[in-house]
Amino acid sequence: MTNMLIKGLVATAVIAALTGCNSDDDIIETPIAATCAEAGEDCKTFTVLHTNDNHGRFWHNSDGEYGMAARKALIDQIRDEVSSNGGVTLVLSGGDINTGVPESDLQDALPDFIGMNEIAYDAMAVGNHEFDNPLAVLDSQRSIANFPMLAANIYKADGTRYFDAYKVFDVNGLRVAVIGLTTEDTAKIGNPEYISELTFTDPATEAAKVIAEIKEANAADLIFATTHMGHYADAQNGSNAPGDVTLARTLTAGDLSAIIGGHSQNPVCMEPDTNNYADFEPGDDCTPDMQNGTYIMQAHEWGKYVGRADFEYFNGELHLASYKLLPVNLKTTVTDADGNKTKVLVADEITPDAELEELLSYYQERGQGQLDEVIATTDALLDGERANVRNMQTNLGRLIAEAQRTKVGADIGVMNSGGVRASIQAGEITYRDVLTVQPFGNTVTLMTMTGAEITEYLNTVASFQRGAGAYAQITGVKMNVDCVAKTVAISEINGKDYSATDSYSFTVPSFNAAGGDGYPVLDPIQTGYVDAEVLYSFFQDKGSIVAADYAPVGDIVYENSDSQLGCTITAN
């Protein structure tokens, strides 16, 4: 199988062949088709549409952006257009259907899978967040889905794969195999209770094995992959497991036509002929990445975009005719001459599919009703008042930090006080209370450092001034903080004596990991766990909260400060 991929919005190749001739004859030039139009019926056209990291966004947001009903209307429109021009459409998902908004979480993503069925997805990669629930829930989701969930590198204890490795589709007369792959980080950030009997193997090794099987069986003309591994420019994956770029570079050039990805939740739009991301805004042109003969595509997150890749296949070669990220009712803020701000659509409005919107409205209303269900109780006030949580260690600030580090088994939990927006009164706790406390939808990130590196990190973080949102609520570490020198002396981490050379892990909100509030910029594992969902699960698992269990216990001592509660401005 010859598979040459040509980068560009319109890919053409000029190829000519000369036939043999004798000396008495003129040379006869027989051109080989260089464009799809010249190839005529020998040119096969098809379109791949893709989304990824749905994370429970079956319903549009308060501004009317995205939502599965509008997504269906757009995809149906494209299907009709492609079909009228003699093409076929394949719809793929890069995974992570689960976890993100309570209306979906409380219903185990049932509305999301129903929405995908109505849209008629052809296949999806299994994401790490498909394992946020017991395997019985995942099995139920698989039974609901009218499309295959693919993962070649997930094995059960008996050595068999948990999911199908690939699926072959008849696409306008072409046999297109789609391989599924899942990030190895699932083993690190997944709930051990649910995944302890599963093995997540190296995706690149597994992909090479499956490609060899497909070739040996002559099962396909083209091989694609739908993955949940992340796109990291120039393969700079930091603390994350290797992603799509590494995968493409590892395989034999040309073996994999395209990777339809997810997990890193970024629009993969590159500066042409570079390994650098473009400064992409909704509605802009988008050039997918190209590595080792493989296109790599990703459509950001939540169904904000539908990626559209139009392919042409002739002369045994695959060409990318065009590629776009199509915004789904996304809006931007504009300011008029008087300084008034309004939100306007960045592209033509998409009228949501009426039948799907009506169907999903039932689940949206049902989910809203469940927000007031009691998930736990607390015997006393959990203090998140702004005047308190930004000035001292409080039971709620420390509880949130503890919940986040417990979720992923980290040694230390770091929580910025600006992310704690309210208190929870003594008595019953509902999911709505949780959303009031943590409304921003930040995710939990996981970083591993040596003791010496953590000391350097906490030199900055632990000495942030009282009164600021940066003031850190910290659990799992005993230390003295010198507020003048802005240094820390750590004695214990997670109940064990501190070592400068040992490795330790800690959690911090994604906002701060990216440099928010002046925190040091990190390159951590993006667990994808939404802060409110983590707090909800923590409360639900505990059932009864004893507020005193999370009260400050003197494990952080502030020195050379006007207050024993934290560093003060006058200490500078």
Side-chain angles (χ1 to χ4, degrees), residues 30-360:
T30 306
I32 294 177
T35 67
C36 186
E38 292 172 354
E41 292 182 358
D42 291 333
C43 179
K44 306 295 184 181
T45 62
F46 64 96
T47 295
V48 174
L49 304 179
H50 63 97
T51 61
N52 55 275
D53 294 275
N54 181 75
H55 285 300
R57 267 70 178 189
F58 69 89
W59 197 248
H60 57 73
N61 70 2
S62 59
D63 291 320
E65 297 179 299
Y66 47 88
M68 282 186 154
R71 191 191 311 175
K72 182 180 190 306
L74 175 59
I75 288 176
D76 284 350
Q77 175 188 332
I78 296 171
R79 272 201 184 99
D80 290 343
E81 173 207 326
V82 170
S83 178
S84 68
N85 291 321
V88 172
T89 301
L90 199 62
V91 184
L92 303 175
S93 167
D96 267 9
I97 309 307
N98 289 272
T99 308
V101 295
E103 290 87 349
S104 173
D105 297 343
L106 290 167
Q107 301 175 81
D108 292 333
L110 174 62
D112 305 88
F113 279 93
I114 288 174
M116 291 179 74
N117 283 344
E118 293 299 313
I119 293 170
Y121 275 77
D122 291 290
M124 66 168 274
V126 175
N128 58 290
H129 284 286
E130 270 62 85
F131 298 93
D132 288 352
N133 303 301
L135 293 184
V137 174
L138 177 54
D139 290 339
S140 174
Q141 292 172 343
R142 176 159 45 170
S143 70
I144 292 167
N146 293 335
F147 48 86
M149 300 170 72
L150 303 174
N153 65 313
I154 303 177
Y155 285 86
K156 297 184 290 185
D158 64 5
T160 61
R161 288 190 175 104
Y162 191 22
F163 299 93
D164 288 340
Y166 67 96
K167 168 84 171 179
V168 178
F169 297 92
D170 182 346
V171 181
N172 213 9
L174 289 171
R175 298 168 303 162
V176 178
V178 178
I179 302 171
L181 296 165
T182 304
T183 176
E184 283 185 279
D185 276 341
T186 308
K188 291 183 184 178
I189 59 182
N191 188 331
E193 181 182 355
Y194 304 148
I195 64 174
S196 60
E197 295 184 0
L198 300 178
T199 300
F200 297 81
T201 61
D202 174 40
T205 300
E206 211 66 40
K209 183 192 306 181
V210 174
I211 288 170
E213 292 172 4
I214 293 171
K215 285 185 172 182
E216 184 177 356
N218 189 27
D221 303 304
L222 297 170
I223 303 176
F224 281 45
T226 181
T227 71
H228 193 82
M229 296 167 54
H231 182 276
Y232 309 107
D234 200 24
Q236 301 301 304
N237 53 290
S239 298
N240 298 281
D244 294 333
V245 174
T246 300
L247 172 65
R249 290 178 177 179
T250 300
L251 299 173
T252 302
D255 270 1
L256 201 56
S257 297
I259 296 171
I260 309 300
H263 187 52
S264 52
Q265 296 180 225
N266 55 324
V268 175
C269 301
M270 315 301 290
E271 289 292 345
D273 302 315
T274 75
N275 288 320
N276 303 319
Y277 290 121
D279 186 15
F280 177 81
E281 296 291 337
D284 288 353
D285 291 337
C286 178
T287 300
D289 200 1
M290 162 69 86
Q291 298 289 333
N292 197 31
T294 303
Y295 281 102
I296 306 175
M297 305 167 180
Q298 189 176 158
H300 201 187
E301 62 184 3
W302 304 355
K304 292 176 179 178
Y305 302 89
V306 170
R308 174 177 179 171
D310 294 306
F311 289 103
E312 300 171 345
Y313 183 82
F314 56 94
N315 292 341
E317 299 169 359
L318 184 69
H319 306 263
L320 179 64
S322 67
Y323 183 72
K324 299 175 182 176
L325 287 184
L326 303 172
V328 182
N329 288 339
L330 296 187
K331 296 180 179 179
T332 188
T333 301
V334 297
T335 306
D336 63 20
D338 297 324
N340 300 313
K341 294 183 178 181
T342 57
K343 290 188 175 182
V344 299
L345 289 160
V346 301
D348 292 340
E349 184 173 10
I350 301 167
T351 302
D353 180 86
E355 291 185 6
L356 183 53
E357 187 168 44
E358 181 179 1
L359 175 60
L360 294 179

Side-chain angles (χ1 to χ4, degrees), residues 414-417 457 461 464 469-472 508 512-513 515-521:
V414 178
M415 178 67 203
N416 68 316
S417 294
Y457 179 79
V461 170
F464 281 125
Y471 177 82
V508 64
N512 304 103
D517 279 340
Y519 278 54
V521 176

Side-chain angles (χ1 to χ4, degrees), residues 225-568:
T226 181
T227 71
H228 193 82
M229 296 167 54
H231 182 276
Y232 309 107
D234 200 24
Q236 301 301 304
N237 53 290
S239 298
N240 298 281
D244 294 333
V245 174
T246 300
L247 172 65
R249 290 178 177 179
T250 300
L251 299 173
T252 302
D255 270 1
L256 201 56
S257 297
I259 296 171
I260 309 300
H263 187 52
S264 52
Q265 296 180 225
N266 55 324
V268 175
C269 301
M270 315 301 290
E271 289 292 345
D273 302 315
T274 75
N275 288 320
N276 303 319
Y277 290 121
D279 186 15
F280 177 81
E281 296 291 337
D284 288 353
D285 291 337
C286 178
T287 300
D289 200 1
M290 162 69 86
Q291 298 289 333
N292 197 31
T294 303
Y295 281 102
I296 306 175
M297 305 167 180
Q298 189 176 158
H300 201 187
E301 62 184 3
W302 304 355
K304 292 176 179 178
Y305 302 89
V306 170
R308 174 177 179 171
D310 294 306
F311 289 103
E312 300 171 345
Y313 183 82
F314 56 94
N315 292 341
E317 299 169 359
L318 184 69
H319 306 263
L320 179 64
S322 67
Y323 183 72
K324 299 175 182 176
L325 287 184
L326 303 172
V328 182
N329 288 339
L330 296 187
K331 296 180 179 179
T332 188
T333 301
V334 297
T335 306
D336 63 20
D338 297 324
N340 300 313
K341 294 183 178 181
T342 57
K343 290 188 175 182
V344 299
L345 289 160
V346 301
D348 292 340
E349 184 173 10
I350 301 167
T351 302
D353 180 86
E355 291 185 6
L356 183 53
E357 187 168 44
E358 181 179 1
L359 175 60
L360 294 179
S361 68
Y362 164 78
Y363 294 99
Q364 176 68 5
E365 292 166 6
R366 179 183 175 190
Q368 283 284 320
Q370 289 179 289
L371 293 180
D372 291 321
E373 292 183 8
V374 176
I375 56 175
T377 60
T378 175
D379 66 347
L381 174 75
L382 295 173
D383 187 1
E385 293 303 311
R386 180 188 178 100
N388 297 331
V389 77
R390 296 188 181 209
N391 282 280
M392 60 183 176
Q393 302 290 299
T394 74
N395 55 12
L396 182 55
R398 291 169 62 84
L399 182 150
I400 293 171
E402 185 68 14
Q404 294 184 358
R405 82 174 182 116
T406 299
K407 183 74 174 181
V408 293
D411 297 299
I412 300 171
V414 178
M415 178 67 203
N416 68 316
S417 294
V420 184
R421 309 301 290 186
S423 295
I424 297 177
Q425 301 299 318
E428 296 178 339
I429 303 172
T430 66
Y431 207 152
R432 199 175 297 279
D433 292 325
V434 170
L435 293 173
T436 304
V437 171
Q438 295 205 280
F440 298 124
N442 288 312
T443 57
V444 177
T445 71
L446 178 65
M447 189 71 186
T448 299
M449 290 181 172
T450 65
E453 290 169 335
I454 283 183
T455 295
E456 187 68 23
Y457 179 79
L458 291 177
N459 283 344
T460 299
V461 170
S463 60
F464 281 125
Q465 302 295 330
R466 295 176 64 219
Y471 177 82
Q473 304 281 329
I474 303 173
T475 62
V477 58
K478 289 187 177 181
M479 62 183 171
N480 286 27
V481 182
D482 188 322
C483 293
V484 172
K486 294 189 175 180
T487 58
V488 301
I490 302 173
S491 59
E492 286 186 14
I493 292 181
N494 201 12
K496 298 179 181 179
D497 290 344
Y498 166 82
S499 166
T501 56
D502 285 354
S503 291
Y504 303 98
S505 59
F506 65 92
T507 54
V508 64
S510 55
F511 169 75
N512 304 103
D517 279 340
Y519 278 54
V521 176
L522 302 174
D523 191 7
I525 293 174
Q526 303 289 340
T527 73
Y529 289 122
V530 179
D531 50 12
E533 186 274 333
V534 171
L535 185 56
Y536 165 84
S537 297
F538 187 80
F539 282 141
Q540 189 178 51
D541 291 343
K542 294 290 184 182
S544 297
I545 300 296
V546 178
D549 289 346
Y550 305 95
V553 292
D555 47 3
I556 303 176
V557 177
Y558 296 94
E559 301 172 344
N560 296 319
S561 172
D562 289 348
S563 171
Q564 296 300 310
L565 303 175
C567 296
T568 60

